Amino acid sequence: RQGKVPPVPAPLPAAARPRPRGRPDAMAQQMVRAGGGVTVPGASGTLAEVASQLCNEMIQQLSDEHKKEVGKMYNEVVALRTEIENVKGMLEGYVGREKALREMMDVMMSSYQDSASFMADAHGQMQAALQGAVGEHQQTRSQLGDPVRDAERELARIQEILKNPAVPPQMTEHLHQGGIRR
């Protein structure tokens, strides 16, 4: 078995071969395909050199990916902070409007209470004036007497007068000289 060498797979065309990321083209050109299909830098590389190079490439790729992810997270944080600034502005506006509305409501309630108090006072004054006028009217009416009773007395007096017939005038001739003749 030691003398037998496993068959070497046919090399892939250059366009189909996977290329490690982050490796410059100059380094790729230095790579040489060895007999077992292992790629070794400069044909005299060792496993340690290949492993070191692969580790460096992996670290570079991880570092690049980390930078991308951190950059995305930073952009998200900046966008969220911008939104928070917008919310802050809206809340400040809300607080200002609420304060203005509360002050307006306080002014309106005070104005309403003042108006209601004024109307109650005016009503009380009006009622007192009306009661005074009614009392004055009652006093004047009592001084005038009872008009119904006065009218009834006057009617009785007129009926008494009408019970007696009217006395016809007596004509004396001497008083009417050239007056009425019959």
Side-chain angles (χ1 to χ4, degrees):
R1 284 194 195 211
Q2 290 179 357
K4 290 189 177 183
V5 177
V8 177
L12 293 172
R17 270 185 263 162
R19 295 188 57 186
R21 289 175 33 162
R23 185 182 301 184
D25 286 338
M27 186 180 280
Q29 290 175 354
Q30 292 177 357
M31 302 294 269
V32 177
R33 189 155 261 328
V38 177
T39 305
V40 182
S44 64
T46 64
L47 179 62
E49 291 173 345
V50 171
S52 175
Q53 183 179 3
L54 289 175
C55 283
N56 286 337
E57 288 178 13
M58 183 177 74
I59 290 171
Q60 183 62 41
Q61 287 177 0
L62 289 173
S63 176
D64 291 345
E65 193 65 30
H66 177 72
K67 285 180 190 176
K68 264 196 316 189
E69 289 299 317
V70 168
K72 285 180 186 177
M73 286 191 286
Y74 175 77
N75 289 338
E76 286 179 20
V77 167
V78 168
L80 289 173
R81 289 180 65 87
T82 302
E83 282 300 313
I84 290 173
E85 287 290 327
N86 291 340
V87 169
K88 176 188 157 220
M90 290 188 318
L91 283 176
E92 286 172 345
Y94 170 78
V95 167
R97 284 188 302 275
E98 280 299 312
K99 284 181 181 177
L101 286 173
R102 182 168 290 165
E103 289 173 8
M104 190 181 340
M105 287 297 291
D106 290 345
V107 168
M108 287 174 62
M109 288 301 293
S110 174
S111 176
Y112 169 76
Q113 289 171 348
D114 291 346
S115 296
S117 174
F118 173 77
M119 290 301 284
D121 290 345
H123 183 263
Q125 291 173 0
M126 183 80 97
Q127 191 172 13
L130 182 61
Q131 285 179 352
V134 167
E136 187 179 310
H137 175 70
Q138 289 291 353
Q139 186 179 12
T140 305
R141 189 172 135 196
S142 67
Q143 288 175 356
L144 291 176
D146 187 8
V148 174
R149 188 174 295 154
D150 291 342
E152 287 174 345
R153 271 189 258 140
E154 188 64 27
L155 182 61
R157 193 175 72 87
I158 290 172
Q159 286 175 348
E160 195 61 38
I161 291 174
L162 292 177
K163 279 184 186 178
N164 298 325
V167 178
Q170 295 179 358
M171 293 290 202
T172 54
E173 293 284 332
H174 71 281
L175 290 177
H176 295 288
Q177 296 173 358
I180 303 176
R181 291 189 188 178
R182 294 186 200 200

